[in-house]
């Protein structure tokens, strides 16, 4: 690992630590926190979200007051509602489970044209029509969470090993962030945490003075350590932005 990569890894660890501390240091005696006896968390999305969910499952065993619900489906995306209609599926999920927190993480399969099933239109990736149609689907998913008073968080795509794919991920992040925030979701960026100090793909981090893999061999997904760090960012952000969740969710987040 180069000195630059070491510094980037240390910076990532510091960022995760900061979000954990934000979770842990939120006062537990806030007036609005007293009514919450249990916090339910619903990860929604493709295989990135699925990895996040599977990483959190063993942590959950130590916490009786945090309920984790699986709303993920691998090999899916927002570009093909004929294959998996995420706006409809996510609405059904939040209506059925009525979670306190929804964590959206999706897009690794969306570097392709978007197909409108009703009009049979096809919009090339990144174009104006693609941006508008994709943004509407993001907004619909966030709106569904808001309807049941869930707190929506949208995790951005990480840096990717393949440079052209990384460029597309950045473009998709711009679309997702604009639409998600406009619809009322909190945006959690993973780009800085998965890049070195020069913005390049970060594959390893230092744990106990030893290099450990952060990313899976495909350069898209994560190892267990990587998913835990993203989970810490997401849960730390949830505690910081929604302090009423912190008394219960904070303990869960700091254990990741």
């Amino acid at each position: 690992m180069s000195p630059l990569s070491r510094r980037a890894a240390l910076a990532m660890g510091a960022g995760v630590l900061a979000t954990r501390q934000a979770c842990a240091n939120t006062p537990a005696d806030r007036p609005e926190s007293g009514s919450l006896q249990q916090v339910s968390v619903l990860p929604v999305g493709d295989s990135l979200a699925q990895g996040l969910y599977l990483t959190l499952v063993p942590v959950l065993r130590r916490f009786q007051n945090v309920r984790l619900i699986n709303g993920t489906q691998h090999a899916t995306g927002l570009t093909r509602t004929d294959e998996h209609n995420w706006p409809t599926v996510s609405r059904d999920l939040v209506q059925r489970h009525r979670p306190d927190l929804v964590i959206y993480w999706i897009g690794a399969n969306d570097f392709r044209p978007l197909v409108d099933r009703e009009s049979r239109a096809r919009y090339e990736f990144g174009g104006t029509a693609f941006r508008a149609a994709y943004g509407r689907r993001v907004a619909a998913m966030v709106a569904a969470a808001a309807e049941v008073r869930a707190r929506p968080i949208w995790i951005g795509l990480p840096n990717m090993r393949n440079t052209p794919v990384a460029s597309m991920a950045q473009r998709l992040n711009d679309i997702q962030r604009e639409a998600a925030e406009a619809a009322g979701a909190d945006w959690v960026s993973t780009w800085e945490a998965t890049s070195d100090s020069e913005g390049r793909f970060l594959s390893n981090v230092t744990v106990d003075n030893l290099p450990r893999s952060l990313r899976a061999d495909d350069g898209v997904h994560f190892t267990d350590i990587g998913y835990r760090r993203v989970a810490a960012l997401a849960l730390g952000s949830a505690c910081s932005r929604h302090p009423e969740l912190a008394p219960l969710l904070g303990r869960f987040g700091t254990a990741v």
Side-chain angles (χ1 to χ4, degrees):
M1 184 183 297
S2 69
L4 288 175
S5 296
R6 289 193 186 95
R7 286 198 292 272
L10 290 172
M12 180 179 183
V16 170
L17 180 60
T19 55
R20 286 176 173 171
Q21 288 174 339
C23 235
N25 294 338
T26 302
D29 58 352
R30 293 177 63 95
E32 67 267 33
S33 68
S35 61
L36 286 175
Q37 301 301 314
Q38 184 184 68
V39 172
S40 55
V41 180
L42 173 66
V44 172
D46 56 24
S47 52
L48 287 171
Q50 190 172 68
L52 184 73
Y53 166 79
L54 293 173
T55 296
L56 291 176
V57 167
V59 180
L60 182 66
R61 294 170 185 160
R62 288 179 274 168
F63 297 87
Q64 297 180 350
N65 54 8
V66 177
R67 184 167 67 103
L68 190 64
I69 307 155
N70 186 9
T72 67
Q73 180 63 49
H74 72 281
T76 59
L78 297 186
T79 51
R80 295 294 301 270
T81 54
D82 56 321
E83 296 176 351
H84 193 78
N85 194 326
W86 268 117
T88 298
V89 170
S90 62
R91 180 178 295 277
D92 291 343
L93 284 167
V94 297
Q95 289 287 343
R96 186 184 322 132
H97 298 289
R98 302 205 167 243
D100 297 296
L101 177 68
V102 185
I103 302 176
Y104 298 102
W105 199 10
I106 192 168
N109 302 302
D110 284 337
F111 311 130
R112 58 184 179 177
L114 181 146
V115 176
D116 187 317
R117 182 171 57 179
E118 295 180 359
S119 67
R120 297 186 179 180
R122 177 186 172 94
Y123 306 127
E124 292 303 315
F125 175 82
T128 302
F130 177 100
R131 187 182 191 99
Y134 194 97
R136 286 193 295 270
R137 294 178 182 182
V138 170
M141 293 172 69
V142 173
E147 286 176 6
V148 299
R149 297 188 178 182
R151 300 146 184 88
I153 285 183
W154 199 288
I155 302 178
L157 294 174
N159 201 345
M160 309 285 187
R161 176 179 288 123
N162 181 281
T163 301
V165 174
S167 178
M168 289 189 289
Q170 286 182 303
R171 294 173 68 187
L172 198 60
N173 275 343
D174 289 340
I175 299 170
Q176 289 187 356
R177 179 172 187 168
E178 180 180 351
E181 289 186 333
D186 296 319
W187 176 263
V188 178
S189 175
T190 61
W191 197 267
E192 296 78 10
T194 56
S195 306
D196 67 16
S197 59
E198 293 187 353
R200 298 171 302 195
F201 176 84
L202 180 67
S203 59
N204 296 318
V205 292
T206 300
V207 178
D208 296 329
N209 295 319
L210 295 173
R212 300 287 298 275
S213 294
L214 177 70
R215 307 297 292 273
D217 291 340
D218 62 8
V220 175
H221 297 88
F222 289 81
T223 63
D224 182 71
I225 290 174
Y227 277 118
R228 284 176 177 267
R229 290 178 178 237
V230 173
L233 288 172
L235 295 175
S237 177
C239 290
S240 177
R241 301 178 190 191
H242 305 285
E244 69 277 11
L245 299 180
L248 298 182
L249 191 59
R251 299 183 183 91
F252 183 53
T254 54
V256 173

